[in-house]
Amino acid sequence: RIFSNTLIQTSPIFFVAIDPEGKTIMMNDEMLGVLGYTNQEAQDKDYISTFVPEREHELYRDGFRKLVSANEATHTESHVVTKHGRELLIEWYGRPIFNEEGELDFFFSVGTDITQRRIFENELRNYQQQLQDLNIHTEKVRERERTRIARELHDELGQLLTVLNMDLAYVEKKLPGDAPHLRDKLSDMKSRADETLNTLKRIMTDLRPSLLDNLGLVAAIEWQAEDFQAHTGIRCKVSVEPEDMHLEADISTTVFRIFQETLTNIARH
């Protein structure tokens, strides 16, 4: 008994016992010191009205009733108020203690001050949310820039290459029949222009596939798989459920980029 009392009083965690009327029977030195009370000040005080924030009074009363009815250990989190009005968040493990006649003798709880831990956890969540928001914003900016570049490539270089092909076709018609070397050279120029135009189309598609904007995610994924199969020889079978899937633009873009990266990793490894 002396050993148990010494252990309770010297423990760095909270111990408290409350009688059936809600009055404090015992509070260990650690809890008294943190709350700023002496043993005489805490003894026989109504626990809820003295040590609990008013907004949680009913919560505590419900907890006491559940403790009695369940007759088993509980694990909860709730606040206590120091003598100077500071609130602390405590993680409690408690249970009702009954006497030999089966009547409630007192409530006994063991608590740990988790105020700082919860502050750190909340700060960490806030930092993680900020990082996530930053990543989302960065991805949106990246996609807008990809779309802008793809549009400019289409409007500027695409038109120039198309006009160049038309000019080359016009020159080809005007070549005399006795100029085979010029005709061969012109044919080679046309092939290079076509190859350049195809390369430009592939770059624009990599930047921002028009299918994604015009026909949606499913069509874009099917096209990407077919293109991947054509370039790598790796057989692809696409199965999408439901086939008429409609997602928000940002989510569609993210899913499509994940799919692209997956195919890239497959080709690489």
Side-chain angles (χ1 to χ4, degrees):
R1 189 180 293 267
I2 295 175
F3 175 78
S4 298
N5 185 65
T6 302
L7 180 63
I8 289 174
Q9 292 303 332
T10 59
S11 175
I13 59 177
F14 293 176
F15 286 85
V16 62
I18 304 167
D19 71 16
E21 284 72 41
K23 295 187 182 299
T24 306
I25 301 173
M26 182 277 297
M27 188 177 288
N28 73 332
D29 290 344
E30 176 68 16
M31 188 170 181
L32 287 169
V34 172
L35 297 185
Y37 289 91
T38 65
N39 187 56
Q40 290 74 19
E41 290 174 324
Q43 193 74 26
D44 294 328
K45 287 290 191 302
D46 182 81
Y47 182 84
I48 292 179
S49 61
T50 307
F51 305 110
V52 178
E54 185 175 354
R55 67 179 183 278
E56 294 186 6
H57 285 186
E58 194 58 36
L59 177 65
Y60 260 83
R61 292 188 181 96
D62 288 342
F64 286 157
R65 286 192 289 268
K66 290 178 181 178
L67 274 172
V68 175
S69 61
N71 190 20
E72 59 185 24
T74 60
H75 177 208
T76 59
E77 292 181 8
S78 58
H79 292 86
V80 296
V81 181
T82 70
K83 189 175 182 179
H84 301 291
R86 181 181 171 221
E87 290 190 10
L88 303 175
L89 181 63
I90 310 299
E91 182 179 32
W92 292 109
Y93 292 87
R95 70 174 307 135
I97 305 299
F98 296 89
N99 58 29
E100 295 179 356
E101 289 74 30
E103 298 173 341
L104 177 64
D105 199 359
F106 58 90
F107 299 99
F108 186 74
S109 293
V110 179
T112 304
D113 184 356
I114 60 171
T115 307
Q116 289 301 318
R117 188 183 81 187
R118 187 53 48 84
I119 291 174
F120 293 147
E121 289 174 351
N122 291 336
E123 289 178 349
L124 179 60
R125 276 194 294 270
N126 289 335
Y127 292 146
Q128 290 173 334
Q129 185 61 51
Q130 291 175 13
L131 181 60
Q132 182 179 357
D133 292 342
L134 178 60
N135 288 336
I136 292 173
H137 175 71
T138 302
E139 188 59 33
K140 287 182 178 179
V141 171
R142 184 182 294 117
E143 285 299 329
R144 285 198 297 268
E145 187 65 12
R146 284 171 173 170
T147 302
R148 184 189 65 79
I149 294 173
R151 187 180 299 114
E152 289 187 1
L153 288 174
H154 176 271
D155 294 343
E156 301 293 336
L157 290 181
Q159 290 183 14
L160 288 174
L161 287 171
T162 300
V163 171
L164 177 61
N165 269 332
M166 294 172 62
D167 290 343
L168 290 173
Y170 174 80
V171 172
E172 186 177 35
K173 290 181 181 179
K174 298 300 182 179
L175 282 178
D178 57 350
H181 295 296
L182 289 176
R183 194 172 295 278
D184 290 343
K185 185 63 176 177
L186 189 62
S187 177
D188 183 58
M189 292 173 64
K190 287 179 62 180
S191 297
R192 291 181 182 276
D194 287 337
E195 182 180 348
T196 303
L197 186 58
N198 289 332
T199 300
L200 179 63
K201 289 179 179 179
R202 188 176 70 253
I203 292 173
M204 289 189 299
T205 300
D206 289 340
L207 285 171
R208 183 70 184 182
S210 58
L211 279 174
L212 185 59
D213 295 321
N214 298 329
L215 297 180
L217 176 62
V218 176
I221 286 178
E222 290 175 342
W223 170 85
Q224 186 70 62
E226 292 175 1
D227 183 72
F228 176 80
Q229 180 171 296
H231 282 88
T232 64
I234 300 174
R235 294 181 59 189
C236 299
K237 180 181 179 181
V238 178
S239 177
V240 181
E241 294 291 343
E243 295 182 357
D244 59 344
M245 182 187 302
H246 295 288
L247 301 175
E248 295 180 6
D250 291 342
I251 298 177
S252 293
T253 298
T254 301
V255 172
F256 182 75
R257 292 304 181 195
I258 292 172
F259 182 68
Q260 279 187 317
E261 184 65 23
T262 300
L263 294 181
T264 299
N265 289 336
I266 291 172
R268 181 180 296 122
H269 298 293

